[in-house]
Structures are given as C-alpha cells and as structure tokens.
Amino acid sequence: MRLADIPRVALAHLPTPLEYLPRLSEFLGGPRIYIKRDDQTGLALGGNKVRKLEFLVADALEQGCDTLVTTGGPQSNHARQTAAAAAKLGLACHLVLPKLVPIATHEYENSGNVLLDRLLGASVEMPAAADFSAATIEWALASLRGQGRRPYSIPIGGSTAVGALGYVAALHELFEQANAQSLSIDAIVVATGSAGTHAGILAGLFQTGSSIPLHGFAVSATTADKVKLVGSLAGQVCERLEIPAADLAARIQVDDAFVGPGYGIPTDAMREAVNQTARFEGLLLDPVYTGKAMAGLFAAVRRGQFTGGQNVVFWHTGGAPGLFAYEAELTTSV
Ligand SMILES: *Cc1c(COP(=O)(O)O)cnc(C)c1O
C-alpha cells in the first residue's frame, strides 16, 4: 500500500522548520547541529504526536468512533495532543494517566500538560501506580461503551503501525528540506520512548534507500527493550508499505545511557542540555525526552563520535509544556 493512499486527517502545521543551531554547534565544538522543529507542529503547543494522530484519528473516524481514549504518565505530551485533536474534530477524549513517575509536586499533578488536558476538555483519570494495569484501560473502554459511546483506544505514545506512518511521511519531509538547502545529513538523533517516532523514521530511511545512521536515545527502559520495540513497529510499517527492509535489526541503534534513574526522573545531564540549549539558542527542550536525548548528543560530540565537517540533525519532538511541571526540579542550577 502507498502512504498517500492511507487515510489521514490534517492536524499539523507542516512542514516544520529545519534550522541550523550555530551557537550550540560552536559551544560543543564538533559537528554542525541542525534541528527539525517538530515542537512546532502547531496543535495546542505541538509535538511529535500530532503527526501520528493524523493517521490514528483518520482510522478512528473510519471506524465510526466518537471518543478518543489514551494513556501515559501524568505529564504525557501525547495525552495533551490527543485531547487537542479530539477537540478540533468534535470528538470526546478520555485520558487514563497513572502516576507512574515518582514525582508528586503540585505542579507535576496539576500544571503543564495536565492543565492543558483539562482546558482542552478531556476527562482525566489519574490512578495510583499500584492500581493501574492493562485492565484499567479495558474498564474505561467498557464504561464508555456502557454510556453509548464508541471509543477508539490509542496505545501509549500513539505508537502503533498506524501512528508510526506519521514519521515515514516526516522523514520524506526532512529529505525534501535538506535537498532544498543542499544539506547533506550525516546522522539523525531522536529520543526513543514508545518508539513509533524512531520506527517511522527508520522505515522512511529504508523506503528512500538512505543509509544515514539514526541514533536513538532511550528515555526509559533499556536498549534491549527499545531495539525490540523499534524492530517490531518498523517491521510492521515496512510490511504495510511494502518496503524491503533487509537487515532491519542491524540498522537499529538505541543508547540507554542517558535514562538516569528512570522515565521522567530528572538527571544532571538533562538539566545541562536543557539549560545550554535555552541559553545558546533561545530554544526550549523538555525534561523527559528531548533533554535526555540532547544530553546523549552532547556526550556523543564530546567523545568525538561526530567530526567537525559533519551535519547532524537533532529531531526535536516537543514537550516544552512539561517544563512547567518540573519547576522544582529545573530551578536547581547546573
Ligand atoms: C512521546 C514523545 C517522544 C517519544 O516518541 P515515541 O514515538 O514515543 O518514541 C519524544 N519526545 C516527546 C516530547 C514526546 O512527547
């Protein structure tokens, strides 16, 4: 099947800018660092999930659903973007946000993305971590059906073979921009969470026959877990789009050295990356995903993994609304 033949609802402001970061590049003293601004996808403060939702919501509408249901941590950017997509299309939205991150400040549980979820009209349920299991979502779905609703369940991060299609399209968009700028890309860096972004970009690289390395920095779990996730999703996407993906496993690179103590838990390397990127470029990263992935890029440059003449694209996947939830954790100076 061709990507262009798969149903898609326009939600994002595209193309997002591809920009050079001269001051950050100079500060690090290595390759030229470019940034793909998917923090600017436009819908309710943007982020990478908007691209996935263009395909997921089209699927929901095709199935005649009237309510989007999804899950994630309390500060899920994906939940916020899902709530916004629902609002824009006149659908209801129910969010199940278990307290999976051991931060219990007032801001964490009420500000940032949670505030926006509520403003966007979603109903929010925040079970204690101990009370949450896969069955929690099933109960929510059953309860909505009992009320005569037709729920569409989107897994965590929107990372299904449908959602990941958004990033196949995104890779094509990046290549068009790079061509227009006569930019030859030597590496792409991305945060790897539920892995739909990483998997979609990788499938796009196979589709274009590109051998540009894609470096994922895990924001949770381990390299082994992420490699499995990326492989499974990218495999499904390639099958659907009939893309030959010879040696898929060999193309998957994920580094879990920057996760720190766990998902959503701040690290000093994240604080440094968020602070320096803000101060050198006036650019906001986030504490959970892009801050840790940028910390990984800082470290890679410092150990000489990239040379001065190379062009590295950091894929900004959004998340800045989460900064407000981490006020206490981010005002510690580095
Ligand atoms: C969800 C998210 C990611 C990770 O994307 P996945 O497709 O889940 O791997 C990265 N950055 C931000 C800001 C996110 O919200």
Side-chain angles (χ1 to χ4, degrees):
M1 183 164 237
R2 292 172 49 224
L3 188 56
D5 295 333
I6 298 175
R8 178 175 180 178
V9 175
L11 294 172
H13 295 178
L14 302 179
T16 59
L18 172 63
E19 297 171 339
Y20 178 47
L21 299 182
R23 284 173 35 81
L24 191 69
S25 300
E26 190 190 352
F27 165 67
L28 290 173
R32 294 163 62 90
I33 297 171
Y34 287 78
I35 192 152
K36 177 63 172 157
R37 299 291 305 272
D38 277 9
D39 57 319
Q40 300 293 317
T41 53
L43 183 68
L45 302 183
N48 61 338
K49 306 310 184 304
V50 181
R51 289 191 190 266
K52 299 178 184 182
L53 285 161
E54 289 198 335
F55 288 93
L56 290 164
V57 174
D59 191 41
L61 293 176
E62 279 222 322
Q63 293 181 28
C65 295
D66 59 16
T67 304
L68 303 181
V69 177
T70 198
T71 186
Q75 285 299 327
S76 167
N77 299 296
H78 163 67
R80 182 241 318 154
Q81 289 161 80
T82 302
K88 189 171 168 73
L89 295 166
L91 306 171
C93 181
H94 182 70
L95 304 173
V96 182
L97 307 178
K99 298 184 184 183
L100 299 174
V101 176
I103 298 177
T105 57
H106 175 81
E107 305 85 68
Y108 191 81
E109 292 184 352
N110 296 278
S111 186
N113 286 296
V114 182
L115 168 67
L116 302 179
D117 294 341
R118 295 197 167 116
L119 279 177
L120 292 161
S123 54
V124 178
E125 177 186 350
M126 244 189 242
D131 298 337
F132 177 77
S133 71
T136 316
I137 310 291
E138 292 307 319
W139 292 331
L141 294 171
S143 152
L144 287 162
R145 286 190 194 104
Q147 297 160 37
R149 294 256 165 208
R150 301 198 58 180
Y152 181 85
S153 180
I154 302 175
I156 195 155
S159 285
T160 64
V162 173
L165 294 170
Y167 271 87
V168 179
L171 189 275
H172 289 287
E173 180 185 299
L174 172 69
F175 278 6
E176 271 172 38
Q177 290 172 307
N179 285 342
Q181 297 181 23
S182 303
L183 172 69
S184 142
I185 299 172
D186 295 293
I188 301 173
V189 171
V190 72
T192 308
S194 62
T197 304
H198 189 141
I201 296 170
L202 187 56
L205 289 170
F206 276 109
Q207 190 166 44
T208 54
S210 165
S211 57
I212 295 174
L214 172 62
H215 300 276
F217 285 102
V219 299
S220 59
T222 63
T223 293
D225 292 322
K226 299 300 183 195
V227 165
K228 219 184 290 173
L229 258 183
V230 171
S232 156
L233 275 168
Q236 291 171 58
V237 171
C238 288
E239 197 173 300
R240 175 119 188 247
L241 297 177
E242 295 159 49
I243 301 169
D247 251 341
L248 172 61
R251 284 290 293 276
I252 305 174
Q253 295 184 52
V254 183
D255 183 350
D256 62 8
F258 297 88
V259 176
Y263 172 73
I265 304 176
T267 62
D268 284 343
M270 174 280 285
R271 287 190 187 90
E272 194 220 354
V274 169
N275 275 310
Q276 302 293 26
T277 306
R279 291 168 194 187
F280 280 108
E281 296 289 350
L283 184 72
L284 300 174
L285 299 177
D286 85 284
V288 179
Y289 300 93
T290 53
K292 287 183 178 176
M294 186 62 93
L297 177 56
F298 277 24
V301 171
R302 285 168 178 162
R303 67 175 175 255
Q305 188 175 329
F306 303 110
T307 60
Q310 289 188 310
N311 299 314
V312 175
V313 174
F314 180 86
W315 211 304
H316 194 334
T317 43
L323 289 169
F324 301 101
Y326 281 81
E327 182 184 337
E329 290 78 9
L330 289 167
T331 42
T332 328
S333 62
V334 174

